[in-house]
Every structure is written in structure tokens, then in C-alpha cells.
Amino acid sequence: MLSVVYIYCQCCGDRSGAGLLNFWAVETVPLNVPQVLSRSFQLLLQHPVGVLWVLVQALLVSFFTLGIYTGPMQVGLFSVLLRYVRTGEWVPGELWGKMTSHNLPAGIVFVAMQVAVLLIGVPISNASPLVATLFTFVAATAITLLWFYTFQILSDHDKPWTLAMREGWHLMGRGNWGAHILLIVVINLLNLIPTDRVGPLFQIVILLILNGFATLAQTVAYSRLEPEHLADRPSST
């Protein structure tokens, strides 16, 4: 997930409740954090230029639209990466054409939450840089926890972002909350790696690599719990 700080089921339409029962009947699949990190690193090494290039495009579009187009770009980014993780196919064109009435507000709310953290953190940093760093880290971890699977779900299904967010929480429950919190902490700790001792160009490259790895880790974790697009699964009826 793109981090501005540092650089709410498929069963919804089923009013009978049967879909909800089927959702909760899904087998729990504990998330193996070391495997997720290892696989993410392998995938980044296999296609470093491609991963970083789609990430750069998503970041630039989000930046030059003042965050308004963040939702569609996040969904597009995860569409590219999910296809890559699930099938091994590299289709960068999946990045584009994700503007929907669900994706757009999702990105705006996501950016607004991160901007709010920045605005609160500035006066705190003036009083105590250490407290400000701790506050920003905790707030970033909380936001990541809220949004961890939202954009991946939106890349699989065009649905209200609040519903996608709730589904994401259910997925984290299936994969073990403790494992997800550990993964999120590890991802956010990457942002604390000092890069100020290198030149501006190398600093940007390092930040992109760290961001690319973190985004791949989110993608791999999601693919472990949802190994295929739900629409592609054979019907059980």
C-alpha cells in the first residue's frame, strides 16, 4: 500500500444470509509471515524494474492529482501485482482504467486519514521528535491495519469500499490477527531505515524498493488467503 506518511462481502447482495454463513464457513488459513516475506523478496528480484515502474506511475498520478486518483491507482497497482503473484503473468496495462464510484472515494478517504496523521504529527514533532516518531509509527500501523486488504479486494470485485474494508478484516481474522499485526509492524519498520546518508537519487531508489517490497508483501499475503479470483472459482451448486 502506498504510504503518504512515509514517502469496510461478496455475500452483501445475499439478503437471505446464506452467503454470510458460507463466508464464515471458509477454513481458517494461518498466515505464515516468514513465507510471505520470502516470497515477496523472490518476486521483487524476478521483476524489479517492472514492479518499481508501475509503483512509480501510481505514485506520480496520485501525487499530481493531489491524492484524488489514489483509489483507482491503488486498485490498478494491486490488479497488476495480484495477476503477477497468482499466475506469473506480467500485465502492466492492468494499472489503468480502474476509475469507479467505489474506488475513487476509497482513495480520498485513505489519503485524508494519512494527511490527518501528518497534520497532528507536525506540532508534536516541534515539542518532541521522539514522541512524534512514535505517534506516526503507531498511527501508520493502525491505518495499515484498517486498509490492509481493502484495495486488493476492490481489484477483485467492484463493490463499496466500506464493504471491502469489512471483508478485509474478516480475511485477517481467517489468517490470524497476530500474524497480520506482526507483518504490518515489519512493513512499517522498513520506513524507519535511515536513508539520509546517501544522495537524493539513491534515497529515492531505496524508498521505492522498500515501498515495492511492502506492497508485494500485502499482495502475497492476500493471495495466500484468496489464491484465485472468487469469480473464477467453480460454483458449489
Side-chain angles (χ1 to χ4, degrees), residues 175-237:
N176 186 283
W177 280 99
H180 279 89
I181 292 174
L182 174 61
L183 178 59
I184 290 169
V185 168
V186 171
I187 288 174
N188 284 336
L189 281 174
L190 294 176
N191 295 304
L192 298 181
I193 295 177
T195 59
D196 54 346
R197 295 184 179 180
V198 298
L201 180 59
F202 284 106
Q203 188 172 11
I204 292 174
V205 171
I206 292 173
L207 291 173
L208 284 173
I209 292 173
L210 295 175
N211 205 314
F213 176 76
T215 308
L216 269 173
Q218 284 185 257
T219 310
V220 172
Y222 177 74
S223 70
R224 294 297 172 96
L225 299 174
E226 293 291 340
E228 56 184 332
H229 193 300
L230 291 178
D232 297 332
R233 294 181 182 177
S235 173
S236 59
T237 58

Side-chain angles (χ1 to χ4, degrees), residues 109-172:
V109 174
F110 174 67
V111 170
M113 292 178 69
Q114 301 216 39
V115 171
V117 171
L118 285 174
L119 293 178
I120 296 173
V122 169
I124 296 178
S125 64
N126 293 330
S128 172
L130 179 60
V131 173
T133 298
L134 180 60
F135 166 80
T136 304
F137 180 82
V138 173
T141 299
I143 292 175
T144 306
L145 188 64
L146 283 174
W147 292 86
F148 198 68
Y149 288 137
T150 303
F151 292 109
Q152 296 94 310
I153 292 173
L154 288 174
S155 70
D156 274 346
H157 312 281
D158 184 23
K159 60 176 62 180
W161 67 270
T162 52
L163 181 56
M165 181 177 281
R166 287 200 302 270
E167 284 191 18
W169 298 342
H170 293 321
L171 279 178
M172 286 190 282

Side-chain angles (χ1 to χ4, degrees), residues 27-33 35-36 173-176 179-180 224-225:
E27 181 182 0
T28 299
V29 183
L31 190 69
N32 188 310
V33 175
Q35 287 184 3
V36 169
R174 280 174 49 196
N176 186 283
H180 279 89
R224 294 297 172 96
L225 299 174

